[in-house]
Amino acid sequence: MAVIVQRPKGTQDVTPSQVYKWHTVEKIVKDTAEQFGFKEIRIPTFEETGLFVRSVGDTTDVVQKEMYTVSAKGDATFTLRPEGTAGTIRAMLENGVMNEGFPQKVFYILSCFRHEKPQSGRLREFHQFGCEMAGTASPSADADIIALAKSVIDRAGLKNIELNINSIGCPECRKNYHKALKEYFESSKNELCETCLGRLEKNPMRILDCKSPICSEIASKAPVILDYLCDDCKEHFEALQENLTAMDIEFKINPKIVRGLDYYTRTVFEFVTTDIGAQGTVCGGGRYDGLIETLGGQSVPALGFGMGLERLILTMEKQGCEFLMPETCDIYIAAMDKDAQKKCVSLVKALREEGYRAEYDLVGRGLKAQMKYADKIGAKFSMVLGSNELENDSAKLKNMKTGETVDITLGSSFVDCFSNELINLMFATEELL
Ligand code: ATP
Ligand code: MG
């Protein structure tokens, strides 16, 4: 059907027949985060633009090219959040969460907006599950947050996902590194894209993250930060590796990861798959020890990650992972005439009050069409009411899978009797499994 207005490029609809996949991953991430001691936080969809410029960084792709910024009637300018960390830290500071003892551990499931070129695994509105931990500089915290992301990936049933880790040091070790990078890129200055030319003076590390083929070719031979780490950062990175090994988590050191947001310090990591094409980073994160102070708080070390839920679901689909099947209707009660319909309404009401999924005809269809509908919605049981059933106060309850029927009273014990039949069915199904 031709609709008059179509959805914007780079956005997705989730139809009722597909939403169980989202419910599955939302359940996995929520259960896992809570098991690791993280509590949910909810934040606004838009923030003052300055929040992202300060935290994500004014030389990043996100701020320079990808933000959706709006202003309404002379207000300050606002930006639809391109990621979850900045707003979360802002909210924790604004609501005094940081005063409630350390470490503070929060998680979120939210939509993000970036003006990027839409393609498989890259959308303009996408969803992230993210975790943030504030108030610890210990490498065991880095390992624990990586373990959380890994646990989500394992529970989703994913295989072939590689964990890449790196350390991008602290502002101290970066001084020498920036100098070395600048010298290196100066020699290919004429070939760099215009954005990177500007980055050369201000923040040469950002050139390493440029998506242009020429810049990334030049960047591939640039000096790596691991060779410039100070003793403290080196020690932190080694301790992280020991912790990961103790947790039996396999990893690869990838000195090329720098991450696309400016606020990272020391540990950075990515979980990557080759199964969904070029956009294979399912999860990315790291430590951001300077961010809280930048946003007006005290100097509190922190870390976190963001996991792209579209990419997670895409990988699960590609790998044939299992999703939780949606619950279907427990009972459909069909009616043959007006009196039966009245009885039908009162039985369905009683069933729903006890928590059962009960449905009946709302369209005015004939019996045959009602039964067809019961089949289509996957009803576990069905029942037909007509004048005979009303007279005898009893009807046949039909198991829709096996076709077996039992007589069931329509009197005051109806809901209890139905409940017993449903329990029997559940046991029978479990035995089959
Ligand atoms: P990429 O290098 O793929 O652009 P990124 O470094 O920009 O990723 P982050 O800012 O770290 O990504 O966001 C964390 C996660 O969010 C990514 O690992 C990815 O799974 C997901 N993500 C980021 N941008 C998009 C997008 N445009 N569409 C879908 N998912 C995305
Ligand atoms: Mg990106």
Side-chain angles (χ1 to χ4, degrees):
M1 193 175 84
V3 290
I4 294 170
V5 181
Q6 294 180 336
R7 66 169 177 270
K9 231 165 119 181
T11 63
Q12 267 183 351
D13 301 311
V14 181
T15 57
S17 69
Q18 294 297 306
V19 77
Y20 69 98
K21 294 178 184 169
W22 284 85
H23 292 162
T24 303
V25 299
E26 282 159 12
K27 180 166 169 42
I28 293 173
V29 303
K30 185 169 182 288
D31 288 353
T32 312
E34 284 176 351
Q35 197 183 23
F36 277 71
F38 287 65
K39 293 205 175 111
E40 187 176 357
I41 188 164
R42 296 189 184 193
I43 56 167
T45 309
F46 59 92
E47 299 274 356
E48 279 193 23
T49 303
L51 178 73
F52 302 115
V53 177
R54 271 166 189 273
S55 55
V56 175
D58 58 0
T59 53
T60 57
D61 270 358
V62 169
V63 169
Q64 289 186 321
K65 302 176 184 169
E66 300 169 2
M67 292 204 306
Y68 284 95
T69 297
V70 291
S71 69
K73 301 234 164 99
D75 262 354
T77 63
F78 295 103
T79 294
L80 298 181
R81 60 185 170 220
E83 52 91 68
T85 304
T88 298
I89 296 300
R90 196 252 333 120
M92 290 170 84
L93 288 171
E94 201 165 330
N95 294 283
V97 177
M98 299 290 183
N99 308 330
E100 292 167 19
F102 288 140
Q104 278 299 325
K105 304 194 276 186
V106 299
F107 78 93
Y108 49 80
I109 301 170
L110 47 71
S111 50
C112 299
F113 306 85
R114 296 184 191 176
H115 189 81
E116 300 196 75
K117 192 166 162 239
Q119 50 200 290
S120 172
R122 190 174 294 289
L123 293 144
R124 290 183 171 170
E125 181 185 17
F126 62 98
H127 296 79
Q128 272 190 2
F129 157 61
C131 288
E132 314 292 349
M133 184 176 344
T136 167
S138 163
S140 58
D142 304 41
D144 206 48
I145 210 150
I146 290 174
L148 199 177
K150 170 87 168 82
S151 182
V152 166
I153 286 166
D154 289 345
R155 284 177 204 199
L158 297 184
K159 305 272 178 300
N160 307 327
I161 303 249
E162 195 174 69
L163 166 62
N164 286 255
I165 62 169
N166 190 21
S167 174
I168 56 170
C170 62
E172 239 357 86
C173 18
R174 269 193 227 155
K175 279 182 196 152
N176 285 336
Y177 182 55
H178 276 184
K179 228 159 85 191
L181 271 186
K182 237 162 136 180
E183 270 168 31
Y184 172 81
F185 284 119
E186 283 286 352
S187 60
S188 337
K189 208 171 164 177
N190 298 335
E191 293 161 75
L192 293 178
C193 75
E194 210 171 302
T195 320
C196 284
L197 217 52
R199 289 166 169 166
L200 189 57
E201 280 310 311
K202 278 181 91 175
N203 192 354
M205 244 172 97
R206 282 275 68 89
I207 305 176
L208 301 174
D209 208 38
C210 183
K211 298 269 190 312
S212 114
I214 298 172
C215 295
S216 33
E217 168 62 26
I218 300 169
S220 68
K221 297 188 191 84
V224 293
I225 177 93
L226 277 184
D227 295 334
Y228 293 81
L229 293 187
C230 66
D231 287 346
D232 283 353
C233 287
K234 235 185 240 163
E235 200 181 302
H236 184 98
F237 193 44
E238 274 159 20
L240 164 66
Q241 294 170 53
E242 281 163 21
N243 274 294
L244 289 175
T245 305
M247 290 167 129
D248 248 347
I249 296 178
E250 280 178 36
F251 61 87
K252 200 176 103 183
I253 296 174
N254 180 349
K256 295 244 149 37
I257 308 181
V258 289
R259 313 279 310 118
L261 316 173
D262 262 359
Y263 48 63
Y264 287 110
T265 51
R266 291 194 166 171
T267 309
V268 287
F269 62 91
E270 289 181 351
F271 284 90
V272 190
T273 173
T274 50
D275 287 356
I276 53 169
Q279 322 307 327
T281 310
V282 173
C283 173
R287 186 167 268 290
Y288 47 87
D289 289 343
L291 179 63
I292 296 179
E293 204 175 1
T294 306
L295 294 181
Q298 293 181 332
S299 170
V300 175
L303 64 160
F305 68 77
M307 188 179 285
L309 295 183
E310 282 83 359
R311 290 187 195 175
L312 183 69
I313 291 174
L314 207 58
T315 318
M316 287 173 76
E317 287 171 341
K318 278 273 157 66
Q319 297 189 2
C321 299
E322 267 183 46
F323 292 95
L324 297 171
M325 287 317 283
E327 285 287 335
T328 57
C329 171
D330 292 320
I331 178 168
Y332 183 90
I333 308 184
M336 286 164 69
D337 55 39
K338 271 204 174 131
D339 285 342
Q341 176 81 358
K342 273 189 202 148
K343 182 72 180 171
C344 191
V345 171
S346 79
L347 291 180
V348 163
K349 180 168 185 276
L351 284 162
R352 286 178 177 167
E353 276 168 4
E354 288 305 310
Y356 296 109
R357 293 162 191 262
E359 292 195 51
Y360 62 106
D361 178 49
L362 295 172
V363 184
R365 288 181 172 129
L367 185 60
K368 214 168 148 197
Q370 289 186 49
M371 295 314 289
K372 210 167 150 191
Y373 181 77
D375 206 35
K376 193 172 150 200
I377 62 174
K380 298 182 186 88
F381 288 98
S382 69
M383 201 168 84
V384 178
L385 298 187
S387 51
N388 273 350
E389 283 75 15
L390 296 196
E391 215 165 278
N392 301 329
D393 213 18
S394 170
K396 289 204 180 312
L397 184 71
K398 181 175 167 189
N399 178 326
M400 293 289 279
K401 253 220 178 96
T402 62
E404 284 170 276
T405 59
V406 286
D407 289 324
I408 186 166
T409 167
L410 302 180
S412 58
S413 60
F414 170 71
V415 175
D416 287 340
C417 294
F418 173 71
S419 161
N420 283 338
E421 291 304 324
L422 195 63
I423 290 167
N424 287 343
L425 177 71
M426 269 159 44
F427 278 123
T429 320
E430 255 167 43
E431 270 167 30
L432 280 180
L433 297 173

